[in-house]
Amino acid sequence: MQRNRIYILGSLIDKVNTKQALERINDFIQEATPHHIITANAEIIFHGRQDKKLSRTLNKAHLVTADGAGVVWATRYLNDPVTERVTGIDLLHAICNQAQQKNWKLYFLGAAPGVAGKAVLKVLELYPNCHIVGYENGFFSQEEESKVIANINSIKPDILFVAMGAPKQEFWIREHLQELNVPVCIGVGGSFDVLAGNAQRAPEWMQKKNLEWLFRLYKEPKRWRRMLSLPRFVLAVVGQKVKGNPKGDN
Ligand code: UDP
């Protein structure tokens, strides 16, 4: 299938909205071969400039969505706009909702012990007809890892949510994609913490005003260093346009 994508700082982002992302997911499940989905925020794309392993991982993924206001802004600024952001948690909700009709089997992997179970309960409260086939925390040793993968293999979910934070989850999925043999593997960052009620999402009005980053900074001031990548991302995108470099790589 021909993908409609835009280069931002050397990484290719698919121009899809949530509805189109769900259609791709449906196709991936029909194909029954492993696929990797990344919801790419400004921080990840910015780091992809320096980190070739990260940009390779992004560019090898089967679907990369614009996660956050910064990336949506960049597509507009580069005159090739996406219509909406598709964040990890929004996609998770959309998938769980759709899974009820399609009978997709879902597996939740990630977050601290106890959190994935609480997240699953919340999902079942919101989407009671969801078919959840398993969950596991995201802190395991090398030896335990093969058991985690063998368990997922035996259960054969259609969709695997991996909540280990970016870019750890992206590298983990890429490394184990073929072994996992799950049609759709998707990194969802801190989503299980939000579902479990351990972390809060910005109020709707802040999300609408593109101020989710400010709320996150207020809640987790330790993230300030990581968040510096947002203004750096903006400057680099301006540089990409000014230099007339459509790929925006270094
Ligand atoms: N985490 C995990 N395994 C690890 C490291 C982190 O499961 O080895 C989990 C952590 O408990 C948290 C999530 O990954 O639930 C990271 O959340 P964060 O909000 O930092 O991710 P982001 O949304 O920024 O990618």
Side-chain angles (χ1 to χ4, degrees), residues 29-149:
I29 294 173
Q30 300 291 319
E31 284 169 34
T33 52
H35 295 84
H36 184 189
I37 301 181
I38 298 178
T39 70
N41 63 16
E43 186 184 350
I44 286 290
I45 296 173
F46 181 74
H47 287 301
R49 282 184 102 196
Q50 262 86 47
D51 183 342
K52 292 296 162 215
K53 182 179 167 198
L54 183 54
S55 65
R56 263 202 310 275
T57 301
L58 277 158
N59 292 338
K60 276 187 174 169
H62 302 85
L63 180 65
V64 181
T65 69
D67 179 340
V71 187
V72 173
W73 165 81
T75 64
R76 288 200 193 121
Y77 182 76
L78 296 169
N79 301 321
D80 200 1
V82 294
T83 52
E84 64 178 15
R85 63 188 181 146
V86 183
T87 67
I89 187 142
D90 291 335
L91 196 52
L92 184 151
H93 278 287
I95 289 171
C96 292
N97 190 26
Q98 181 93 310
Q100 300 186 104
Q101 284 95 50
K102 301 269 185 189
N103 206 24
W104 291 335
K105 292 184 279 172
L106 313 176
Y107 192 106
F108 289 66
L109 173 67
V115 177
K118 280 192 192 165
V120 162
L121 286 178
K122 185 71 191 174
V123 168
L124 288 173
E125 188 187 315
L126 296 169
Y127 312 101
N129 296 321
C130 240
H131 189 179
I132 296 175
V133 291
Y135 63 89
E136 185 56 74
N137 77 72
F139 292 85
F140 40 79
S141 62
Q142 284 285 337
E143 299 86 71
E144 288 163 337
E145 185 177 85
S146 39
K147 283 195 193 142
V148 169
I149 294 174

Side-chain angles (χ1 to χ4, degrees), residues 110-112 137-139 163-166 168-169 188-190 193 216 220 223 226:
N137 77 72
F139 292 85
M164 295 185 195
K168 182 172 181 170
Q169 62 203 12
V188 291
D193 292 305
R216 211 141 187 215
E220 299 171 68
R223 292 180 85 96
R226 278 180 67 178

Side-chain angles (χ1 to χ4, degrees), residues 4-16:
N4 185 7
R5 296 192 282 179
I6 170 172
Y7 264 111
I8 305 177
L9 308 183
S11 292
L12 281 159
I13 311 299
D14 287 271
K15 292 180 60 194
V16 291

